[in-house]
Amino acid sequence: MTTFQTHSAEETTELGRRLAAELKPGSIVLLRGDLGAGKTTMVKGIAEGFQAAKADDVTSPTFTLVHEYRGPDIILYHIDLYRIDTQRELDTLGLDDLLAPNCILLIEWGEKFPRLQSEQNLEIALERVAETERRIMLTTP
Ligand code: ADP
Ligand code: MG
């Protein structure tokens, strides 16, 4: 496990840009942390790292559930399961179909579903330490 500390949203976005290099095509990345921890902020950087979207164009998929960002090499799916409560609702999203070899799934609130808890998934856990300070822990499979 690798731990980072950031002191602004911009620093977290920058970390996301760098972490993009660690993410493997065809994989699931679980973003853990409370509301406001910085999960979506991290995705802004990851999307920039893959040249899939500008940070400002990455918004929370809380209501839309799935956002798609297409880069030259990779398609990112940014998924927020905060409002999904049952396995049945999860199934209707068809996440399995999105997991193609040239795609990466970035999932917020994936820990709600045991089925998404896999040793094979990279996990980025964010903790709010103070108003602008975040501890970010990366666990690679
Ligand atoms: P989540 O998706 O986990 O609910 P967001 O990324 O939407 O969280 O929101 C994080 C909020 O915290 C933003 O308003 C952001 O500006 C603020 N913030 C303050 N400091 C940091 C930091 N070091 N890293 C990330 N976000 C931070
Ligand atoms: Mg979010």
Side-chain angles (χ1 to χ4, degrees):
M1 189 174 82
T2 319
T3 305
F4 305 88
Q5 205 100 351
T6 65
H7 300 88
S8 66
E10 173 47 40
E11 272 186 41
T12 298
T13 304
E14 175 54 27
L15 180 62
R17 284 186 202 103
R18 289 197 280 130
L19 290 183
E22 312 282 327
L23 310 186
K24 305 265 182 299
S27 72
I28 292 177
V29 176
L30 297 174
L31 293 141
R32 294 183 79 120
D34 293 340
L35 276 179
K39 302 180 293 296
T40 298
T41 303
M42 171 68 62
V43 172
K44 287 173 181 278
I46 294 172
E48 287 204 337
F50 283 107
Q51 299 167 54
K54 293 215 173 71
D56 285 347
D57 295 330
V58 173
T59 55
S60 178
T62 307
F63 296 98
T64 40
L65 306 179
V66 182
H67 284 171
E68 180 182 311
Y69 302 108
R70 285 176 179 260
D73 306 314
I74 282 287
I75 302 171
L76 295 178
Y77 290 103
H78 180 199
I79 297 143
D80 189 337
L81 301 179
Y82 187 71
R83 305 185 76 85
I84 299 292
D85 292 318
T86 64
Q87 181 63 46
R88 208 186 140 130
E89 285 176 279
L90 180 66
D91 291 343
T92 62
L93 292 181
L95 297 189
D96 292 340
D97 298 332
L98 300 180
L99 200 61
N102 64 330
C103 299
I104 296 176
L105 271 54
L106 306 166
I107 307 183
E108 299 187 31
W109 299 102
E111 68 271 22
K112 285 169 69 176
F113 297 95
R115 201 173 289 184
L116 290 169
Q117 300 299 299
S118 163
E119 304 271 299
Q120 290 170 30
N121 297 339
L122 186 142
E123 189 177 285
I124 302 173
L126 299 98
E127 255 173 42
R128 185 187 188 281
V129 179
E131 173 84 28
T132 60
E133 188 177 345
R134 302 292 187 271
R135 184 180 301 125
I136 299 166
M137 288 148 289
L138 178 74
T139 310
T140 45

